Amino acid sequence: MNTIMRKSVLGIAGLAFAGGVFAGPATAHAASPVEGTPVTVAVQADKPGADKGKLIPHGVQGAQSRIDLSDEQVGNVKAIVAATKKAGMDERAAVVAIATALQESKLENLGHLGERNDHDSQGLFQQRPSSGWGTVEQITDPEYSTMAFLKGLKQVDGWQDMPLTKAAQTVQVSAYPDHYAQWEQQAADLVTEHWNS
């Protein structure tokens, strides 16, 4: 499938998932047209490698958001995928990790943002040195921060059977626990694109 056709298909699918809204982050109260009903997943058919049945096993929950990624953000996606493989985890773990990083930092490796920052949160996953995630140098290293997130995910009993937002929230303990769900489709698309690249 050529790039223009693929982008068109994914763009149309994104519109369908967002219930006609294809912009900015979804609110915490946004819901899919039929609450709790799994939505069909559009994935790139000509790219082998990612097990599409594992990417979104429960269907996406709620309206979906999508952003265009810079080269730096794509590099961070690749780093998350590589760290997931290094940790011996599957594509679903990569989807959870990428969706989490999309929510926490929009896949940007953020340093301390001063007053705009949540306490001392930094890096792709907005991990905090004061909460024991590691040093600033460690948590701003994409491989280290991903491995730390995945270590936490492995400790969540039954994470594979949980909706993405519950698995991510159990690790992250965010003030906005439902916000991770909005990134599941884009995270799955990114895993499909980069799992074997």
Side-chain angles (χ1 to χ4, degrees), residues 118-132:
D118 177 26
H119 306 286
D120 57 342
S121 301
Q122 298 189 48
L124 295 173
F125 295 90
Q126 289 295 280
Q127 295 158 331
R128 297 177 60 190
S130 64
S131 295

Side-chain angles (χ1 to χ4, degrees), residues 6-7 10 22 65-81 98-99 101-103 105-109 124 183 185-191 193-194:
R6 183 178 153 272
K7 286 183 179 178
L10 292 176
F22 189 79
S65 295
R66 182 172 291 273
I67 59 172
D68 292 329
L69 301 182
S70 68
D71 290 343
E72 176 190 352
Q73 290 165 306
V74 171
N76 289 329
V77 167
K78 291 178 179 180
I80 291 170
V81 167
I98 291 170
L102 275 162
Q103 175 57 34
S105 68
K106 302 298 182 277
L107 287 166
E108 294 175 359
N109 196 10
L124 295 173
W183 301 105
Q185 183 61 59
Q186 184 167 18
D189 293 342
L190 290 167
V191 170
E193 183 176 352
H194 297 289

